[in-house]
Amino acid sequence: MNRNLSIFAFILGLLAVIWVIVGYIGGSGIALAVSCIIAAVYLAGALEMRRFDANTAALAKALNAIPDDLSHLGEWLQHVPAALKNSVRLRIEGERVALPGPGITPYLVGLLVLLGMLGTFLGMVVTLNGAVLALESTTDLHTIRAALAAPVRGLGVSFGTSVAGVATSAMLGLISALCRRDRLQVGQLLDSKIASVLRDFSLTHQRQETFKALQAQSQALPELVGKLDAMMRQMAEQHRQLGGGAVTNRLAAHDGFSPSCGISSPICL
């Protein structure tokens, strides 16, 4: 809906400036030049908004295509437009970063109005100069009327640049507002994905998981210490038993008595 409305607004603005340019062909050269500049500025702004809208659509497509078992964030970021990749990554990590907006279009919206006014002022200057020359060249009333007719008609035509400037500025501003609205909706979709399938990649979630792991380790530490203490006691008991057995064997060997034979015998020794 917004895309179709943007196209319709662009066509209206383009038709307005073309109508003004056609009216100036063969007439005022200054007004024609200013109108052509207005058309060029309008097209530059429209092209930027077209790229802006394309990036928004690509981001929306990437968000809708996120798999439920996403294991690596970098693989998915490859599908995000380069102009939005860094901002999206920071948003996922938990930074409060806004998605980038249009670069020069907000400035061009105001520039179009100023260019239209400039063309009008230039036309008025040329018209007034012609009227002064007509008044100075003769004193006959009929001749003066005839001489002023052309400058006055030119004065009316000079306001055509203002019409072109205001019309294109209004349409470009509408296109910018619609594209910003789409970008805002995609930003809301991104936030919903961050809260669900992309939650594991946020720094907040990773800190929480690290804290839970440390907490589990701290809870398991007393049990581990108890097991180590029991193991040390068991090893000490085994060492004591082995030491006692070794002493008994040495004593038996010294007396010539073999516990296994039960008698004092050189053979058993």
Side-chain angles (χ1 to χ4, degrees):
M1 179 64 182
N2 287 343
R3 186 179 183 84
N4 295 332
L5 187 57
S6 297
I7 295 174
F8 180 71
F10 169 73
I11 293 175
L12 284 181
L14 187 62
L15 290 176
V17 71
I18 290 176
W19 174 69
V20 173
I21 291 175
V22 171
Y24 284 136
I25 295 177
S28 175
I30 296 177
L32 178 61
V34 174
S35 299
C36 291
I37 294 174
I38 290 175
V41 172
Y42 179 65
L43 291 176
L47 287 175
E48 183 188 27
M49 296 314 302
R50 183 178 181 276
R51 291 192 296 268
F52 183 86
D53 183 67
N55 289 336
T56 301
L59 177 59
K61 181 179 179 180
L63 289 173
N64 291 323
I66 297 178
D68 295 334
D69 56 346
L70 182 64
S71 59
H72 195 273
L73 182 62
E75 296 178 357
W76 175 77
L77 285 176
Q78 298 299 322
H79 303 285
V80 178
L84 302 175
K85 187 175 298 184
N86 186 55
S87 299
V88 170
R89 180 180 59 80
L90 293 177
R91 286 278 287 268
I92 294 174
E93 291 178 354
E95 299 290 338
R96 301 181 64 87
V97 178
L99 296 177
I104 62 173
T105 298
Y107 169 74
L108 296 181
V109 170
L111 179 62
L112 289 171
V113 177
L114 295 178
L115 288 174
M117 295 177 62
L118 176 62
T120 298
F121 291 152
L122 292 176
M124 291 177 64
V125 169
V126 173
T127 299
L128 293 177
N129 288 334
V132 170
L133 293 176
L135 292 174
E136 290 179 348
S137 61
T138 182
T139 58
D140 182 63
L141 182 59
H142 181 72
T143 305
I144 291 174
R145 288 179 178 178
L148 289 178
V152 170
R153 284 194 300 269
L155 182 63
V157 175
S158 65
F159 284 95
T161 56
S162 291
V163 174
V166 171
T168 53
S169 176
M171 293 302 101
L172 186 59
L174 177 59
I175 294 171
S176 177
L178 293 174
C179 292
R180 285 175 178 269
R181 180 182 177 183
D182 289 340
R183 179 63 61 87
L184 179 61
Q185 292 176 351
V186 173
Q188 294 173 351
L189 177 61
L190 174 61
D191 291 336
S192 66
K193 295 295 184 179
I194 291 175
S196 56
V197 294
L198 297 177
R199 184 173 179 269
D200 294 342
F201 302 101
S202 65
L203 296 180
T204 301
H205 177 74
Q206 293 177 3
R207 285 194 293 265
Q208 291 176 353
E209 292 298 319
T210 302
F211 176 76
K212 290 180 181 179
L214 292 175
Q215 190 176 21
Q217 290 178 0
S218 64
Q219 292 175 354
L221 186 60
E223 182 180 356
L224 179 61
V225 171
K227 291 182 178 180
L228 289 175
D229 185 59
M231 185 181 298
M232 292 298 295
R233 288 197 299 268
Q234 183 179 3
M235 292 177 62
E237 181 65 22
Q238 292 177 355
H239 183 269
R240 185 182 63 80
Q241 292 177 358
L242 291 174
V247 171
T248 303
N249 291 333
R250 286 198 297 269
L251 291 175
H254 183 268
D255 296 336
F257 178 78
S258 174
S260 60
C261 295
I263 58 175
S264 178
S265 172
I267 299 176
C268 292
L269 293 176

